Amino acid sequence: ILLACPTGGGVYQWDPTGGFQNAGLVGTAPPYNTGIFISQQQQILVCFGSTAVEDIGVIHDPLLVAWSTVGNFSQFTPLVANQAGSQRLSVGSKCVTGMAVANLNVIWTDLDAWGMTYIGPPFVFGFNILGAGAGAISLHSPQKLRGNVYWMGQSNFYSLTGNGVNVLPCPVWDFVFQNLNSGSDPVTGRPYVNNVRTLPNTPFNEAGWAFPSSASVNGENDSYVKFNITEPGAPWDYGTLPRSA
């Protein structure tokens, strides 16, 4: 079953045995979310930046993390007999992105990187800050590569390894962070930095990012930066690479 979540929308499911039917809304999941991922070991659907209440309009809770019970992505109501639940993060102004990583899950706010660890009933998940000040810049800025996680933050690049969260020394820092397009879409108000995307080049062990420079048209990505994760001290590569998708 394919699960999808358009940013700012609900959770949709598509069953390959359903013929040519379109994806349908999971009506019991939170109606507004920044994004979703699957906590693989427990088979739990995790939603972040989710609504707490749906009444007249939508009341958005940008720091709320909500999850389904085990093996059932449509059951979000906490009961004594299930493991559904929710937790509001205490630091930051919004959840930016999330990802299942090896034996834990990671939630990034605009300020910090949080570990979301399965601890079982009654609390189900425990939350702690893995990297203070190591938030993510966009929904698609983290990437998993060779067992580690790499992401772009507001003013640095970071990695999550067995030694915890670390800042990645970047010799071309100025090319990226002093050249980011800090503008916003004039219609939607969406910041252009939300377009930052990862560019993993797995065969060559390279972690990279596409981003919009100050000269980009309509905030679309027109530049890139990357480095080789297996060669300590290897030079970073950067340049222009226009991409609209």
Side-chain angles (χ1 to χ4, degrees), residues 24-72:
L25 182 69
V26 180
T28 52
Y32 185 107
N33 307 278
T34 299
I36 63 174
F37 64 88
I38 300 294
S39 182
Q40 294 290 347
Q41 288 186 317
Q42 298 78 37
Q43 294 298 292
I44 288 175
L45 174 62
V46 179
C47 303
F48 52 90
S50 303
T51 47
V53 178
E54 184 180 23
D55 199 347
I56 299 175
V58 175
I59 301 173
H60 183 212
D61 193 338
L63 283 173
L64 187 72
V65 180
W67 58 87
S68 71
T69 191
V70 175
N72 185 350

Tab-separated table of all heavy atoms in Angstrom, residues 24-72:
chain	number	residue	atom	x	y	z
A	24	GLY	N	-7.098	7.444	-2.016
A	24	GLY	CA	-8.186	7.967	-1.202
A	24	GLY	C	-7.687	8.503	0.120
A	24	GLY	O	-6.669	8.039	0.658
A	25	LEU	N	-8.376	9.470	0.657
A	25	LEU	CA	-8.002	10.081	1.924
A	25	LEU	C	-8.225	9.107	3.076
A	25	LEU	O	-9.263	8.450	3.152
A	25	LEU	CB	-8.826	11.347	2.153
A	25	LEU	CG	-8.525	12.145	3.428
A	25	LEU	CD1	-7.153	12.800	3.337
A	25	LEU	CD2	-9.599	13.205	3.647
A	26	VAL	N	-7.226	9.011	3.979
A	26	VAL	CA	-7.392	8.252	5.214
A	26	VAL	C	-8.078	9.185	6.206
A	26	VAL	O	-7.429	10.027	6.842
A	26	VAL	CB	-6.030	7.759	5.755
A	26	VAL	CG1	-6.218	6.960	7.044
A	26	VAL	CG2	-5.318	6.914	4.711
A	27	GLY	N	-9.365	9.068	6.320
A	27	GLY	CA	-10.155	10.042	7.065
A	27	GLY	C	-9.879	10.070	8.556
A	27	GLY	O	-10.191	11.060	9.224
A	28	THR	N	-9.301	8.998	9.092
A	28	THR	CA	-9.035	8.950	10.525
A	28	THR	C	-7.639	9.443	10.884
A	28	THR	O	-7.299	9.539	12.064
A	28	THR	CB	-9.193	7.510	11.033
A	28	THR	OG1	-8.408	6.630	10.214
A	28	THR	CG2	-10.649	7.078	10.971
A	29	ALA	N	-6.820	9.754	9.878
A	29	ALA	CA	-5.487	10.316	10.125
A	29	ALA	C	-5.611	11.824	10.307
A	29	ALA	O	-6.627	12.426	9.947
A	29	ALA	CB	-4.557	9.995	8.959
A	30	PRO	N	-4.585	12.484	10.885
A	30	PRO	CA	-4.649	13.940	11.029
A	30	PRO	C	-4.900	14.610	9.679
A	30	PRO	O	-4.289	14.243	8.679
A	30	PRO	CB	-3.260	14.296	11.573
A	30	PRO	CG	-2.818	13.059	12.295
A	30	PRO	CD	-3.359	11.916	11.490
A	31	PRO	N	-5.807	15.580	9.619
A	31	PRO	CA	-6.191	16.183	8.342
A	31	PRO	C	-5.185	17.178	7.789
A	31	PRO	O	-5.292	17.580	6.628
A	31	PRO	CB	-7.514	16.878	8.671
A	31	PRO	CG	-7.408	17.191	10.135
A	31	PRO	CD	-6.634	16.066	10.738
A	32	TYR	N	-4.250	17.628	8.612
A	32	TYR	CA	-3.246	18.587	8.138
A	32	TYR	C	-1.887	18.143	8.672
A	32	TYR	O	-1.723	17.946	9.874
A	32	TYR	CB	-3.570	19.997	8.638
A	32	TYR	CG	-2.655	21.077	8.095
A	32	TYR	CD1	-3.100	21.984	7.132
A	32	TYR	CD2	-1.340	21.188	8.533
A	32	TYR	CE1	-2.259	22.970	6.628
A	32	TYR	CE2	-0.494	22.167	8.029
A	32	TYR	CZ	-0.960	23.054	7.088
A	32	TYR	OH	-0.118	24.014	6.593
A	33	ASN	N	-0.904	17.973	7.785
A	33	ASN	CA	0.422	17.520	8.184
A	33	ASN	C	1.499	18.190	7.352
A	33	ASN	O	1.280	18.512	6.184
A	33	ASN	CB	0.552	16.001	8.000
A	33	ASN	CG	-0.553	15.230	8.692
A	33	ASN	OD1	-0.491	14.983	9.885
A	33	ASN	ND2	-1.575	14.849	7.932
A	34	THR	N	2.654	18.383	7.977
A	34	THR	CA	3.812	18.832	7.206
A	34	THR	C	4.368	17.676	6.396
A	34	THR	O	4.815	17.848	5.258
A	34	THR	CB	4.899	19.379	8.142
A	34	THR	OG1	4.367	20.500	8.861
A	34	THR	CG2	6.124	19.832	7.372
A	35	GLY	N	4.360	16.457	6.969
A	35	GLY	CA	4.858	15.293	6.258
A	35	GLY	C	4.630	14.028	7.061
A	35	GLY	O	4.091	14.061	8.174
A	36	ILE	N	5.034	12.897	6.484
A	36	ILE	CA	4.867	11.596	7.127
A	36	ILE	C	6.080	10.720	6.844
A	36	ILE	O	6.851	10.983	5.915
A	36	ILE	CB	3.602	10.850	6.627
A	36	ILE	CG1	3.707	10.550	5.124
A	36	ILE	CG2	2.345	11.630	6.951
A	36	ILE	CD1	2.579	9.694	4.582
A	37	PHE	N	6.260	9.682	7.657
A	37	PHE	CA	7.191	8.601	7.352
A	37	PHE	C	6.757	7.376	8.146
A	37	PHE	O	5.920	7.467	9.052
A	37	PHE	CB	8.643	8.984	7.664
A	37	PHE	CG	8.934	9.240	9.121
A	37	PHE	CD1	9.305	8.207	9.972
A	37	PHE	CD2	8.850	10.535	9.634
A	37	PHE	CE1	9.575	8.449	11.314
A	37	PHE	CE2	9.120	10.781	10.977
A	37	PHE	CZ	9.488	9.741	11.812
A	38	ILE	N	7.322	6.224	7.814
A	38	ILE	CA	7.005	4.977	8.507
A	38	ILE	C	8.131	4.638	9.472
A	38	ILE	O	9.295	4.563	9.076
A	38	ILE	CB	6.812	3.818	7.518
A	38	ILE	CG1	5.676	4.111	6.546
A	38	ILE	CG2	6.543	2.508	8.270
A	38	ILE	CD1	4.309	4.196	7.185
A	39	SER	N	7.790	4.424	10.739
A	39	SER	CA	8.740	3.880	11.701
A	39	SER	C	8.839	2.386	11.408
A	39	SER	O	7.971	1.600	11.777
A	39	SER	CB	8.258	4.130	13.134
A	39	SER	OG	9.193	3.645	14.069
A	40	GLN	N	9.904	2.003	10.698
A	40	GLN	CA	9.945	0.700	10.051
A	40	GLN	C	9.838	-0.480	11.011
A	40	GLN	O	9.104	-1.435	10.768
A	40	GLN	CB	11.235	0.580	9.228
A	40	GLN	CG	11.304	1.539	8.056
A	40	GLN	CD	10.330	1.174	6.945
A	40	GLN	OE1	9.769	0.087	6.934
A	40	GLN	NE2	10.115	2.090	6.021
A	41	GLN	N	10.599	-0.448	12.106
A	41	GLN	CA	10.622	-1.610	12.985
A	41	GLN	C	9.264	-1.909	13.605
A	41	GLN	O	8.900	-3.068	13.796
A	41	GLN	CB	11.663	-1.403	14.083
A	41	GLN	CG	13.104	-1.488	13.600
A	41	GLN	CD	14.086	-1.420	14.745
A	41	GLN	OE1	13.926	-0.618	15.662
A	41	GLN	NE2	15.108	-2.249	14.701
A	42	GLN	N	8.504	-0.856	13.913
A	42	GLN	CA	7.206	-1.053	14.561
A	42	GLN	C	6.043	-1.026	13.569
A	42	GLN	O	4.911	-1.299	13.943
A	42	GLN	CB	6.980	0.029	15.628
A	42	GLN	CG	7.976	0.022	16.768
A	42	GLN	CD	9.290	0.657	16.384
A	42	GLN	OE1	9.319	1.639	15.635
A	42	GLN	NE2	10.380	0.114	16.879
A	43	GLN	N	6.311	-0.648	12.300
A	43	GLN	CA	5.247	-0.489	11.313
A	43	GLN	C	4.195	0.490	11.810
A	43	GLN	O	2.990	0.220	11.823
A	43	GLN	CB	4.628	-1.840	10.969
A	43	GLN	CG	5.580	-2.774	10.251
A	43	GLN	CD	6.032	-2.226	8.903
A	43	GLN	OE1	5.245	-2.109	7.977
A	43	GLN	NE2	7.305	-1.858	8.796
A	44	ILE	N	4.688	1.657	12.221
A	44	ILE	CA	3.839	2.733	12.719
A	44	ILE	C	3.957	3.926	11.772
A	44	ILE	O	5.065	4.307	11.381
A	44	ILE	CB	4.255	3.145	14.147
A	44	ILE	CG1	3.865	2.050	15.151
A	44	ILE	CG2	3.637	4.478	14.548
A	44	ILE	CD1	4.343	2.313	16.566
A	45	LEU	N	2.827	4.494	11.399
A	45	LEU	CA	2.828	5.702	10.573
A	45	LEU	C	3.010	6.919	11.469
A	45	LEU	O	2.240	7.125	12.413
A	45	LEU	CB	1.515	5.824	9.790
A	45	LEU	CG	1.327	7.119	8.999
A	45	LEU	CD1	2.401	7.281	7.931
A	45	LEU	CD2	-0.068	7.169	8.376
A	46	VAL	N	4.026	7.715	11.189
A	46	VAL	CA	4.323	8.916	11.969
A	46	VAL	C	3.994	10.144	11.133
A	46	VAL	O	4.456	10.278	9.998
A	46	VAL	CB	5.803	8.949	12.402
A	46	VAL	CG1	6.100	10.230	13.187
A	46	VAL	CG2	6.152	7.712	13.231
A	47	CYS	N	3.199	11.043	11.686
A	47	CYS	CA	2.867	12.320	11.050
A	47	CYS	C	3.476	13.436	11.894
A	47	CYS	O	3.449	13.375	13.118
A	47	CYS	CB	1.357	12.525	10.972
A	47	CYS	SG	0.451	11.223	10.105
A	48	PHE	N	4.009	14.448	11.256
A	48	PHE	CA	4.589	15.556	12.014
A	48	PHE	C	4.071	16.884	11.481
A	48	PHE	O	3.704	17.011	10.323
A	48	PHE	CB	6.128	15.508	11.975
A	48	PHE	CG	6.725	15.408	10.598
A	48	PHE	CD1	7.048	16.554	9.879
A	48	PHE	CD2	6.979	14.176	10.013
A	48	PHE	CE1	7.607	16.466	8.612
A	48	PHE	CE2	7.537	14.083	8.749
A	48	PHE	CZ	7.853	15.226	8.048
A	49	GLY	N	4.064	17.884	12.382
A	49	GLY	CA	3.433	19.156	12.047
A	49	GLY	C	1.949	18.953	11.815
A	49	GLY	O	1.386	19.432	10.831
A	50	SER	N	1.285	18.245	12.738
A	50	SER	CA	-0.077	17.768	12.509
A	50	SER	C	-1.110	18.600	13.259
A	50	SER	O	-0.793	19.339	14.182
A	50	SER	CB	-0.193	16.304	12.950
A	50	SER	OG	0.748	15.504	12.262
A	51	THR	N	-2.374	18.424	12.870
A	51	THR	CA	-3.454	19.123	13.547
A	51	THR	C	-3.810	18.413	14.843
A	51	THR	O	-3.736	17.198	14.956
A	51	THR	CB	-4.719	19.166	12.686
A	51	THR	OG1	-4.951	17.861	12.178
A	51	THR	CG2	-4.592	20.134	11.558
A	52	ALA	N	-4.194	19.193	15.826
A	52	ALA	CA	-4.720	18.632	17.065
A	52	ALA	C	-6.247	18.631	17.028
A	52	ALA	O	-6.889	17.759	17.588
A	52	ALA	CB	-4.228	19.443	18.261
A	53	VAL	N	-6.836	19.611	16.349
A	53	VAL	CA	-8.293	19.764	16.316
A	53	VAL	C	-8.712	20.164	14.914
A	53	VAL	O	-8.062	20.974	14.266
A	53	VAL	CB	-8.767	20.852	17.311
A	53	VAL	CG1	-10.280	21.036	17.219
A	53	VAL	CG2	-8.356	20.510	18.729
A	54	GLU	N	-9.794	19.592	14.428
A	54	GLU	CA	-10.398	20.047	13.177
A	54	GLU	C	-11.807	20.506	13.494
A	54	GLU	O	-12.652	19.728	13.912
A	54	GLU	CB	-10.431	18.940	12.136
A	54	GLU	CG	-10.968	19.436	10.799
A	54	GLU	CD	-11.002	18.334	9.757
A	54	GLU	OE1	-11.038	17.162	10.140
A	54	GLU	OE2	-11.008	18.661	8.561
A	55	ASP	N	-12.040	21.789	13.333
A	55	ASP	CA	-13.346	22.352	13.664
A	55	ASP	C	-13.765	23.222	12.494
A	55	ASP	O	-13.799	22.768	11.368
A	55	ASP	CB	-13.248	23.145	14.972
A	55	ASP	CG	-14.611	23.361	15.634
A	55	ASP	OD1	-15.617	23.105	14.955
A	55	ASP	OD2	-14.655	23.790	16.790
A	56	ILE	N	-14.042	24.476	12.731
A	56	ILE	CA	-14.328	25.401	11.641
A	56	ILE	C	-12.974	25.844	11.095
A	56	ILE	O	-12.219	26.560	11.754
A	56	ILE	CB	-15.138	26.611	12.131
A	56	ILE	CG1	-16.473	26.137	12.696
A	56	ILE	CG2	-15.367	27.595	11.003
A	56	ILE	CD1	-17.296	27.233	13.304
A	57	GLY	N	-12.649	25.392	9.884
A	57	GLY	CA	-11.299	25.588	9.393
A	57	GLY	C	-10.395	24.538	10.019
A	57	GLY	O	-10.836	23.506	10.510
A	58	VAL	N	-9.123	24.811	10.029
A	58	VAL	CA	-8.147	23.870	10.565
A	58	VAL	C	-7.225	24.579	11.533
A	58	VAL	O	-6.688	25.635	11.237
A	58	VAL	CB	-7.316	23.231	9.431
A	58	VAL	CG1	-6.226	22.352	9.993
A	58	VAL	CG2	-8.219	22.416	8.516
A	59	ILE	N	-7.096	24.020	12.727
A	59	ILE	CA	-6.159	24.566	13.703
A	59	ILE	C	-4.864	23.787	13.564
A	59	ILE	O	-4.804	22.600	13.883
A	59	ILE	CB	-6.712	24.435	15.137
A	59	ILE	CG1	-8.040	25.180	15.244
A	59	ILE	CG2	-5.712	24.968	16.150
A	59	ILE	CD1	-8.750	24.979	16.567
A	60	HIS	N	-3.832	24.436	13.059
A	60	HIS	CA	-2.574	23.765	12.770
A	60	HIS	C	-1.665	23.812	13.990
A	60	HIS	O	-1.468	24.866	14.576
A	60	HIS	CB	-1.888	24.427	11.580
A	60	HIS	CG	-0.627	23.758	11.158
A	60	HIS	ND1	0.433	24.433	10.624
A	60	HIS	CD2	-0.234	22.464	11.206
A	60	HIS	CE1	1.406	23.591	10.348
A	60	HIS	NE2	1.023	22.382	10.699
A	61	ASP	N	-1.131	22.659	14.378
A	61	ASP	CA	-0.178	22.581	15.484
A	61	ASP	C	1.172	22.179	14.894
A	61	ASP	O	1.443	20.990	14.707
A	61	ASP	CB	-0.643	21.552	16.514
A	61	ASP	CG	0.138	21.663	17.822
A	61	ASP	OD1	1.256	22.199	17.784
A	61	ASP	OD2	-0.375	21.221	18.860
A	62	PRO	N	2.039	23.124	14.559
A	62	PRO	CA	3.258	22.820	13.797
A	62	PRO	C	4.301	22.016	14.555
A	62	PRO	O	5.239	21.512	13.951
A	62	PRO	CB	3.796	24.209	13.434
A	62	PRO	CG	3.247	25.120	14.475
A	62	PRO	CD	1.897	24.569	14.821
A	63	LEU	N	4.167	21.869	15.880
A	63	LEU	CA	5.141	21.097	16.660
A	63	LEU	C	4.593	19.750	17.132
A	63	LEU	O	5.260	19.038	17.873
A	63	LEU	CB	5.611	21.906	17.881
A	63	LEU	CG	6.631	23.003	17.615
A	63	LEU	CD1	6.876	23.817	18.880
A	63	LEU	CD2	7.944	22.423	17.106
A	64	LEU	N	3.394	19.380	16.680
A	64	LEU	CA	2.803	18.127	17.140
A	64	LEU	C	3.248	16.960	16.268
A	64	LEU	O	3.184	17.025	15.040
A	64	LEU	CB	1.281	18.224	17.121
A	64	LEU	CG	0.558	17.022	17.736
A	64	LEU	CD1	0.726	17.016	19.254
A	64	LEU	CD2	-0.923	17.038	17.369
A	65	VAL	N	3.695	15.885	16.923
A	65	VAL	CA	4.007	14.621	16.250
A	65	VAL	C	2.934	13.617	16.654
A	65	VAL	O	2.707	13.395	17.847
A	65	VAL	CB	5.401	14.096	16.658
A	65	VAL	CG1	5.710	12.784	15.944
A	65	VAL	CG2	6.474	15.140	16.359
A	66	ALA	N	2.245	13.038	15.684
A	66	ALA	CA	1.184	12.068	15.958
A	66	ALA	C	1.521	10.755	15.261
A	66	ALA	O	2.098	10.754	14.172
A	66	ALA	CB	-0.160	12.593	15.475
A	67	TRP	N	1.148	9.638	15.882
A	67	TRP	CA	1.456	8.349	15.264
A	67	TRP	C	0.294	7.382	15.423
A	67	TRP	O	-0.508	7.470	16.350
A	67	TRP	CB	2.737	7.757	15.842
A	67	TRP	CG	2.730	7.535	17.330
A	67	TRP	CD1	2.282	6.426	18.009
A	67	TRP	CD2	3.189	8.455	18.333
A	67	TRP	NE1	2.438	6.591	19.362
A	67	TRP	CE2	3.006	7.831	19.597
A	67	TRP	CE3	3.760	9.731	18.303
A	67	TRP	CZ2	3.350	8.444	20.792
A	67	TRP	CZ3	4.098	10.352	19.494
A	67	TRP	CH2	3.899	9.709	20.721
A	68	SER	N	0.239	6.424	14.495
A	68	SER	CA	-0.816	5.415	14.500
A	68	SER	C	-0.423	4.259	15.413
A	68	SER	O	0.695	4.205	15.934
A	68	SER	CB	-1.038	4.889	13.078
A	68	SER	OG	0.068	4.086	12.677
A	69	THR	N	-1.322	3.331	15.570
A	69	THR	CA	-0.978	2.125	16.310
A	69	THR	C	-0.178	1.180	15.419
A	69	THR	O	-0.045	1.405	14.205
A	69	THR	CB	-2.243	1.429	16.843
A	69	THR	OG1	-1.859	0.409	17.775
A	69	THR	CG2	-3.043	0.803	15.707
A	70	VAL	N	0.364	0.133	15.983
A	70	VAL	CA	1.220	-0.806	15.256
A	70	VAL	C	0.438	-1.518	14.157
A	70	VAL	O	-0.641	-2.075	14.397
A	70	VAL	CB	1.818	-1.846	16.224
A	70	VAL	CG1	2.608	-2.902	15.471
A	70	VAL	CG2	2.686	-1.166	17.267
A	71	GLY	N	0.961	-1.453	12.931
A	71	GLY	CA	0.378	-2.197	11.829
A	71	GLY	C	-0.960	-1.702	11.330
A	71	GLY	O	-1.620	-2.383	10.537
A	72	ASN	N	-1.388	-0.518	11.735
A	72	ASN	CA	-2.680	0.010	11.309
A	72	ASN	C	-2.558	1.525	11.148
A	72	ASN	O	-2.670	2.272	12.112
A	72	ASN	CB	-3.768	-0.335	12.322
A	72	ASN	CG	-5.158	0.083	11.855
A	72	ASN	OD1	-5.312	0.788	10.860
A	72	ASN	ND2	-6.183	-0.352	12.582
